[in-house]
Amino acid sequence: MNKLPYFPKNTIGIFDSGVGGLSVLREIRNQIPDSPLIYFGDQIHVPYGPRELEEVYSLSKVITQFLLGLGAGIIVVACNTASAAALYPLREEFPDIPFVGMEPAVKPAAEKTNTGNVGVLATPATFQGKLYNSVVERFAKNVKIYQNTCSGLVQEIEKGNFTGVKTRHILENALYPMLENKIDSVVLGCTHYPFVIPLIKEIVGPEVAVIDPAPAVAKQTMRILSNVDDSGTDRNQNHITLLTSGSIKEFQTFIDMIEINNYKIHQVKWSQNRSEINIVHEK
Ligand code: DGL
């Protein structure tokens, strides 16, 4: 049987619609090497971006309950879409749990821009959410923002297509009009997109900054974790438990393309009415 390890109080629970949040997990592992990590990729429901915010919220709530049930002491919503749909209500629903969420890094881009033009790549749900609109309202009033939802890109990245024709086509279509409008930074407002940073850089050239919020999110996680009472926990446990609601084989193929060590993959299954998640034990 495929047994899960013990999760002490300093365990960080991280989730995304699929593999995107692994770009955040990588940074968390770099900055916080001594906490166990549980990662949930909801690949059976990817993409979240075109779904209604209400649906993404209910998926996020069940995933959060599941991660807390396993023993996570802090939850990182490593998905801009889920953060847009669920971060505020989850904080209300679980007032004792520290949450870290994603928001498109419009603030640093607006502070640094010389041309006054900034590009943002994110999902339709993220652009609709209150979180994004409040960030733009507060920090980017005097900046012109060019948005694109890169339709289909999340699915290509899920397949591990980081450089192929389709991925390039989607990115060129999104970025060329922005370049014509003299953007000098591109904000990655979806956690899947850091996996195609080399291609984005190739398209936009060296003059345009590509902003990935993952390092800042990992830093924030570290800060919040330092307030979690984890007395009595063994600091040497740094295993990574990767959970997918999709196919283990496809998930493994993706993991092999990126740098993650010391992990075990398990499959999970949603109940039919989507109110519960269970670990699938291997026979
Ligand atoms: N990685 C996600 C995000 O940051 C979700 C993408 C999707 O599932 O559409 O928005």
Side-chain angles (χ1 to χ4, degrees):
M1 197 166 77
N2 216 350
K3 265 187 94 184
L4 291 179
Y6 165 69
F7 295 114
K9 286 180 211 154
N10 62 336
T11 298
I12 305 171
I14 305 167
F15 74 89
D16 178 51
S17 61
V19 294
L22 292 168
S23 66
V24 181
L25 176 139
R26 268 193 320 204
E27 275 303 326
I28 289 178
R29 179 41 90 227
N30 283 343
Q31 293 188 33
I32 312 172
D34 56 359
S35 272
L37 310 179
I38 315 176
Y39 182 87
F40 186 104
D42 193 13
Q43 290 186 295
I44 196 92
H45 295 127
V46 71
Y48 277 6
R51 293 175 191 271
E52 294 293 325
L53 292 172
E54 194 53 41
E55 183 185 3
V56 176
Y57 165 64
S58 62
L59 294 170
S60 303
K61 186 176 160 191
V62 179
I63 295 169
T64 299
Q65 274 162 338
F66 176 66
L67 292 172
L68 294 175
L70 291 178
I74 164 170
I75 301 291
V76 179
V77 185
C79 173
N80 290 265
T81 307
S83 297
L87 191 60
Y88 295 146
L90 284 177
R91 284 190 172 134
E92 271 175 31
E93 194 92 26
F94 304 94
D96 301 333
I97 303 299
F99 283 91
V100 180
M102 310 291 305
E103 62 179 30
V106 169
K107 186 181 175 207
E111 280 166 1
K112 279 192 208 126
T113 181
N114 291 319
T115 62
N117 300 307
V118 167
V120 182
L121 307 180
T123 68
T126 297
F127 285 132
Q128 276 160 33
K130 272 193 217 146
L131 199 59
Y132 174 74
N133 288 298
S134 95
V135 170
V136 171
E137 180 71 20
R138 279 178 294 148
F139 306 115
K141 271 208 168 131
N142 303 320
V143 169
K144 184 103 182 78
I145 295 201
Y146 296 89
Q147 298 176 183
N148 195 290
T149 57
C150 294
S151 178
L153 185 57
V154 165
Q155 291 92 319
E156 291 308 312
I157 292 171
E158 284 285 320
K159 287 188 239 160
N161 179 4
F162 297 166
T163 53
V165 180
K166 206 160 170 198
T167 299
R168 179 181 285 275
H169 184 72
I170 295 169
L171 283 169
E172 285 180 350
N173 272 344
L175 293 166
Y176 283 155
M178 293 184 180
L179 292 170
E180 272 168 31
N181 285 306
K182 307 264 179 297
I183 57 156
D184 59 2
S185 53
V186 184
V187 174
L188 304 186
C190 170
T191 53
H192 279 74
Y193 301 168
F195 293 114
V196 290
I197 286 178
L199 181 55
I200 293 176
K201 285 196 166 157
E202 193 193 313
I203 295 168
V204 297
E207 304 298 321
V208 175
V210 179
I211 306 180
D212 171 13
V217 169
K219 203 167 156 200
Q220 170 75 347
T221 307
M222 186 157 65
R223 207 179 56 75
I224 291 190
L225 192 65
S226 65
N227 298 326
V228 171
D229 174 17
D230 61 357
S231 45
T233 54
D234 175 2
R235 278 257 156 222
N236 292 318
Q237 297 198 45
N238 61 356
H239 46 79
I240 301 180
T241 300
L242 301 175
L243 306 170
T244 176
S245 60
S247 132
I248 289 207
K249 203 167 150 240
E250 280 164 28
F251 197 57
Q252 179 72 64
T253 307
F254 189 91
I255 301 294
D256 291 344
M257 295 179 69
I258 61 174
E259 260 170 57
I260 293 180
N261 299 312
N262 193 15
Y263 66 85
K264 278 222 169 72
I265 303 181
H266 302 258
Q267 194 176 25
V268 296
K269 209 170 168 26
W270 283 86
S271 64
Q272 217 163 11
N273 61 1
R274 287 188 181 171
S275 65
E276 216 179 70
I277 298 165
N278 292 296
I279 300 279
V280 176
H281 292 291
E282 280 174 0
K283 294 188 190 84

Short mmCIF file of all heavy atoms in Angstrom, two decimals, residues 1-5 7 38-40 66-67 69-70 241-245 248 264-271 276-282:
data_model
loop_
_atom_site.label_atom_id
_atom_site.label_comp_id
_atom_site.label_asym_id
_atom_site.label_seq_id
_atom_site.Cartn_x
_atom_site.Cartn_y
_atom_site.Cartn_z
N MET A 1 0.84 -1.20 0.00
CA MET A 1 0.00 0.00 0.00
C MET A 1 0.88 1.26 0.00
O MET A 1 1.95 1.28 0.61
CB MET A 1 -0.92 -0.02 1.23
CG MET A 1 -2.05 0.94 1.10
SD MET A 1 -3.35 0.65 2.32
CE MET A 1 -2.63 1.36 3.79
N ASN A 2 0.38 2.25 -0.63
CA ASN A 2 1.11 3.49 -0.79
C ASN A 2 0.87 4.40 0.40
O ASN A 2 -0.09 5.14 0.44
CB ASN A 2 0.53 4.15 -2.05
CG ASN A 2 1.58 4.86 -2.81
OD1 ASN A 2 2.69 5.02 -2.33
ND2 ASN A 2 1.22 5.32 -3.99
N LYS A 3 1.74 4.34 1.42
CA LYS A 3 1.44 5.07 2.66
C LYS A 3 1.96 6.49 2.62
O LYS A 3 3.05 6.75 2.15
CB LYS A 3 2.06 4.33 3.84
CG LYS A 3 1.08 3.39 4.51
CD LYS A 3 1.64 2.81 5.77
CE LYS A 3 1.22 3.61 6.97
NZ LYS A 3 1.81 3.15 8.21
N LEU A 4 1.17 7.41 3.18
CA LEU A 4 1.62 8.79 3.27
C LEU A 4 2.52 8.93 4.49
O LEU A 4 2.33 8.25 5.49
CB LEU A 4 0.42 9.72 3.44
CG LEU A 4 -0.52 9.89 2.26
CD1 LEU A 4 -1.65 10.82 2.63
CD2 LEU A 4 0.22 10.44 1.06
N PRO A 5 3.48 9.86 4.44
CA PRO A 5 4.32 10.07 5.63
C PRO A 5 3.56 10.85 6.70
O PRO A 5 2.43 11.30 6.47
CB PRO A 5 5.48 10.91 5.07
CG PRO A 5 4.92 11.60 3.89
CD PRO A 5 3.84 10.72 3.33
N PHE A 7 2.86 14.16 8.74
CA PHE A 7 3.04 15.58 8.44
C PHE A 7 3.02 16.42 9.72
O PHE A 7 1.98 16.58 10.34
CB PHE A 7 1.92 16.06 7.50
CG PHE A 7 1.97 15.40 6.15
CD1 PHE A 7 0.96 14.55 5.75
CD2 PHE A 7 3.05 15.62 5.29
CE1 PHE A 7 1.00 13.93 4.51
CE2 PHE A 7 3.09 15.01 4.06
CZ PHE A 7 2.07 14.15 3.67
N ILE A 38 3.23 19.38 0.93
CA ILE A 38 2.21 18.54 0.25
C ILE A 38 1.70 19.39 -0.91
O ILE A 38 1.25 20.52 -0.70
CB ILE A 38 0.99 18.22 1.12
CG1 ILE A 38 1.38 17.78 2.53
CG2 ILE A 38 0.13 17.14 0.45
CD1 ILE A 38 0.16 17.55 3.44
N TYR A 39 1.76 18.85 -2.09
CA TYR A 39 1.29 19.57 -3.28
C TYR A 39 0.09 18.85 -3.88
O TYR A 39 0.14 17.64 -4.11
CB TYR A 39 2.40 19.65 -4.33
CG TYR A 39 1.97 20.42 -5.55
CD1 TYR A 39 2.11 21.80 -5.58
CD2 TYR A 39 1.39 19.80 -6.65
CE1 TYR A 39 1.68 22.54 -6.68
CE2 TYR A 39 0.95 20.53 -7.75
CZ TYR A 39 1.11 21.89 -7.75
OH TYR A 39 0.69 22.62 -8.84
N PHE A 40 -0.97 19.60 -4.13
CA PHE A 40 -2.16 19.03 -4.76
C PHE A 40 -2.36 19.66 -6.14
O PHE A 40 -2.57 20.87 -6.25
CB PHE A 40 -3.39 19.31 -3.88
CG PHE A 40 -4.65 18.65 -4.35
CD1 PHE A 40 -5.14 17.52 -3.71
CD2 PHE A 40 -5.36 19.15 -5.43
CE1 PHE A 40 -6.30 16.90 -4.15
CE2 PHE A 40 -6.53 18.53 -5.88
CZ PHE A 40 -7.00 17.40 -5.23
N PHE A 66 -9.07 19.12 2.63
CA PHE A 66 -8.32 17.87 2.47
C PHE A 66 -6.86 18.05 2.94
O PHE A 66 -6.34 17.23 3.70
CB PHE A 66 -8.37 17.46 0.99
CG PHE A 66 -7.56 16.25 0.65
CD1 PHE A 66 -7.90 15.00 1.16
CD2 PHE A 66 -6.46 16.34 -0.19
CE1 PHE A 66 -7.15 13.87 0.85
CE2 PHE A 66 -5.71 15.23 -0.51
CZ PHE A 66 -6.05 13.99 0.01
N LEU A 67 -6.23 19.14 2.52
CA LEU A 67 -4.84 19.38 2.91
C LEU A 67 -4.71 19.59 4.42
O LEU A 67 -3.77 19.10 5.05
CB LEU A 67 -4.27 20.59 2.15
CG LEU A 67 -4.08 20.41 0.64
CD1 LEU A 67 -3.71 21.73 -0.04
CD2 LEU A 67 -3.00 19.36 0.34
N GLY A 69 -6.74 18.34 6.60
CA GLY A 69 -7.00 17.01 7.19
C GLY A 69 -5.75 16.14 7.19
O GLY A 69 -5.54 15.33 8.08
N LEU A 70 -4.89 16.32 6.18
CA LEU A 70 -3.65 15.54 6.13
C LEU A 70 -2.64 16.05 7.16
O LEU A 70 -1.72 15.35 7.53
CB LEU A 70 -3.01 15.62 4.74
CG LEU A 70 -3.74 14.92 3.58
CD1 LEU A 70 -2.99 15.13 2.28
CD2 LEU A 70 -3.87 13.42 3.86
N THR A 241 5.34 15.50 -0.84
CA THR A 241 4.28 14.59 -1.24
C THR A 241 3.49 15.26 -2.36
O THR A 241 2.93 16.34 -2.17
CB THR A 241 3.35 14.29 -0.04
OG1 THR A 241 4.15 13.70 0.99
CG2 THR A 241 2.22 13.35 -0.43
N LEU A 242 3.52 14.65 -3.52
CA LEU A 242 2.82 15.22 -4.67
C LEU A 242 1.54 14.43 -4.91
O LEU A 242 1.58 13.19 -5.00
CB LEU A 242 3.71 15.14 -5.92
CG LEU A 242 5.07 15.85 -5.84
CD1 LEU A 242 5.88 15.57 -7.11
CD2 LEU A 242 4.90 17.35 -5.65
N LEU A 243 0.43 15.13 -4.98
CA LEU A 243 -0.86 14.48 -5.18
C LEU A 243 -1.48 14.99 -6.47
O LEU A 243 -1.48 16.19 -6.73
CB LEU A 243 -1.81 14.83 -4.03
CG LEU A 243 -1.29 14.55 -2.61
CD1 LEU A 243 -2.23 15.16 -1.58
CD2 LEU A 243 -1.16 13.05 -2.38
N THR A 244 -1.99 14.08 -7.26
CA THR A 244 -2.71 14.51 -8.46
C THR A 244 -4.08 13.84 -8.52
O THR A 244 -4.21 12.66 -8.16
CB THR A 244 -1.95 14.20 -9.76
OG1 THR A 244 -2.78 14.59 -10.88
CG2 THR A 244 -1.57 12.74 -9.92
N SER A 245 -5.07 14.60 -8.97
CA SER A 245 -6.39 14.00 -9.19
C SER A 245 -6.49 13.48 -10.62
O SER A 245 -7.52 12.96 -11.04
CB SER A 245 -7.50 15.04 -8.92
OG SER A 245 -7.35 16.14 -9.79
N ILE A 248 -1.27 9.62 -12.80
CA ILE A 248 0.06 9.62 -12.18
C ILE A 248 1.14 9.63 -13.27
O ILE A 248 2.15 10.31 -13.16
CB ILE A 248 0.26 8.38 -11.28
CG1 ILE A 248 -0.60 8.52 -10.03
CG2 ILE A 248 1.73 8.17 -10.94
CD1 ILE A 248 -0.10 7.79 -8.83
N LYS A 264 7.42 11.87 -3.46
CA LYS A 264 6.61 10.67 -3.80
C LYS A 264 5.29 11.15 -4.40
O LYS A 264 4.73 12.14 -3.93
CB LYS A 264 6.30 9.87 -2.55
CG LYS A 264 7.42 8.96 -2.13
CD LYS A 264 6.85 7.58 -1.68
CE LYS A 264 7.93 6.56 -1.49
NZ LYS A 264 8.75 6.83 -0.29
N ILE A 265 4.84 10.48 -5.44
CA ILE A 265 3.56 10.87 -6.06
C ILE A 265 2.45 9.90 -5.63
O ILE A 265 2.67 8.68 -5.59
CB ILE A 265 3.66 10.84 -7.61
CG1 ILE A 265 4.78 11.75 -8.09
CG2 ILE A 265 2.34 11.24 -8.25
CD1 ILE A 265 4.93 11.81 -9.61
N HIS A 266 1.32 10.44 -5.31
CA HIS A 266 0.13 9.63 -5.00
C HIS A 266 -1.04 10.15 -5.83
O HIS A 266 -1.10 11.33 -6.15
CB HIS A 266 -0.25 9.75 -3.52
CG HIS A 266 0.83 9.35 -2.58
ND1 HIS A 266 0.85 8.14 -1.93
CD2 HIS A 266 1.94 10.02 -2.18
CE1 HIS A 266 1.93 8.07 -1.18
NE2 HIS A 266 2.60 9.20 -1.30
N GLN A 267 -1.97 9.26 -6.08
CA GLN A 267 -3.16 9.69 -6.80
C GLN A 267 -4.32 9.90 -5.82
O GLN A 267 -4.41 9.18 -4.82
CB GLN A 267 -3.56 8.62 -7.82
CG GLN A 267 -4.56 9.14 -8.82
CD GLN A 267 -4.88 8.10 -9.88
OE1 GLN A 267 -4.74 6.91 -9.66
NE2 GLN A 267 -5.33 8.56 -11.02
N VAL A 268 -5.13 10.90 -6.10
CA VAL A 268 -6.31 11.13 -5.26
C VAL A 268 -7.55 11.11 -6.16
O VAL A 268 -7.45 11.28 -7.38
CB VAL A 268 -6.24 12.49 -4.52
CG1 VAL A 268 -5.08 12.51 -3.55
CG2 VAL A 268 -6.17 13.65 -5.49
N LYS A 269 -8.68 10.93 -5.52
CA LYS A 269 -9.92 10.85 -6.30
C LYS A 269 -11.00 11.71 -5.64
O LYS A 269 -11.15 11.67 -4.42
CB LYS A 269 -10.37 9.39 -6.33
CG LYS A 269 -11.14 9.06 -7.57
CD LYS A 269 -11.34 7.56 -7.66
CE LYS A 269 -12.31 7.25 -8.68
NZ LYS A 269 -13.01 7.09 -9.49
N TRP A 270 -11.67 12.48 -6.44
CA TRP A 270 -12.80 13.27 -5.95
C TRP A 270 -14.02 12.35 -5.80
O TRP A 270 -14.22 11.47 -6.62
CB TRP A 270 -13.16 14.37 -6.95
CG TRP A 270 -12.24 15.53 -6.96
CD1 TRP A 270 -11.08 15.63 -7.67
CD2 TRP A 270 -12.40 16.76 -6.25
NE1 TRP A 270 -10.50 16.86 -7.44
CE2 TRP A 270 -11.31 17.57 -6.57
CE3 TRP A 270 -13.36 17.26 -5.37
CZ2 TRP A 270 -11.14 18.85 -6.05
CZ3 TRP A 270 -13.20 18.53 -4.84
CH2 TRP A 270 -12.10 19.31 -5.18
N SER A 271 -14.85 12.61 -4.79
CA SER A 271 -16.12 11.89 -4.70
C SER A 271 -17.03 12.43 -5.81
O SER A 271 -16.77 13.52 -6.35
CB SER A 271 -16.78 12.12 -3.33
OG SER A 271 -17.10 13.49 -3.19
N GLU A 276 -15.67 15.69 -1.42
CA GLU A 276 -14.64 14.99 -0.67
C GLU A 276 -13.54 14.50 -1.60
O GLU A 276 -13.81 14.21 -2.76
CB GLU A 276 -15.31 13.76 -0.04
CG GLU A 276 -14.80 13.41 1.33
CD GLU A 276 -15.56 12.20 1.82
OE1 GLU A 276 -15.33 11.10 1.26
OE2 GLU A 276 -16.39 12.38 2.69
N ILE A 277 -12.33 14.39 -1.03
CA ILE A 277 -11.20 13.85 -1.82
C ILE A 277 -10.59 12.71 -1.02
O ILE A 277 -10.45 12.81 0.20
CB ILE A 277 -10.14 14.95 -2.04
CG1 ILE A 277 -10.72 16.12 -2.83
CG2 ILE A 277 -8.91 14.39 -2.76
CD1 ILE A 277 -9.89 17.39 -2.79
N ASN A 278 -10.25 11.64 -1.71
CA ASN A 278 -9.63 10.50 -1.01
C ASN A 278 -8.36 10.06 -1.73
O ASN A 278 -8.27 10.15 -2.95
CB ASN A 278 -10.60 9.32 -0.97
CG ASN A 278 -11.77 9.63 -0.07
OD1 ASN A 278 -11.61 9.82 1.13
ND2 ASN A 278 -12.95 9.75 -0.66
N ILE A 279 -7.41 9.56 -0.94
CA ILE A 279 -6.19 9.01 -1.51
C ILE A 279 -6.53 7.68 -2.17
O ILE A 279 -7.27 6.87 -1.62
CB ILE A 279 -5.15 8.72 -0.39
CG1 ILE A 279 -4.79 10.02 0.35
CG2 ILE A 279 -3.93 8.01 -0.94
CD1 ILE A 279 -3.78 10.87 -0.35
N VAL A 280 -5.97 7.45 -3.36
CA VAL A 280 -6.14 6.15 -4.01
C VAL A 280 -4.96 5.29 -3.59
O VAL A 280 -3.82 5.64 -3.85
CB VAL A 280 -6.14 6.30 -5.55
CG1 VAL A 280 -6.22 4.94 -6.24
CG2 VAL A 280 -7.26 7.20 -6.00
N HIS A 281 -5.24 4.20 -2.90
CA HIS A 281 -4.15 3.33 -2.46
C HIS A 281 -3.82 2.32 -3.55
O HIS A 281 -4.73 1.73 -4.14
CB HIS A 281 -4.53 2.62 -1.15
CG HIS A 281 -4.63 3.58 -0.02
ND1 HIS A 281 -3.52 4.21 0.51
CD2 HIS A 281 -5.69 4.03 0.67
CE1 HIS A 281 -3.91 5.00 1.48
NE2 HIS A 281 -5.22 4.93 1.60
N GLU A 282 -2.52 2.15 -3.76
CA GLU A 282 -2.12 1.19 -4.80
C GLU A 282 -2.34 -0.23 -4.33
O GLU A 282 -2.16 -0.52 -3.16
CB GLU A 282 -0.64 1.38 -5.13
CG GLU A 282 -0.43 2.55 -6.04
CD GLU A 282 1.04 2.84 -6.24
OE1 GLU A 282 1.88 2.12 -5.67
OE2 GLU A 282 1.33 3.81 -6.95
#
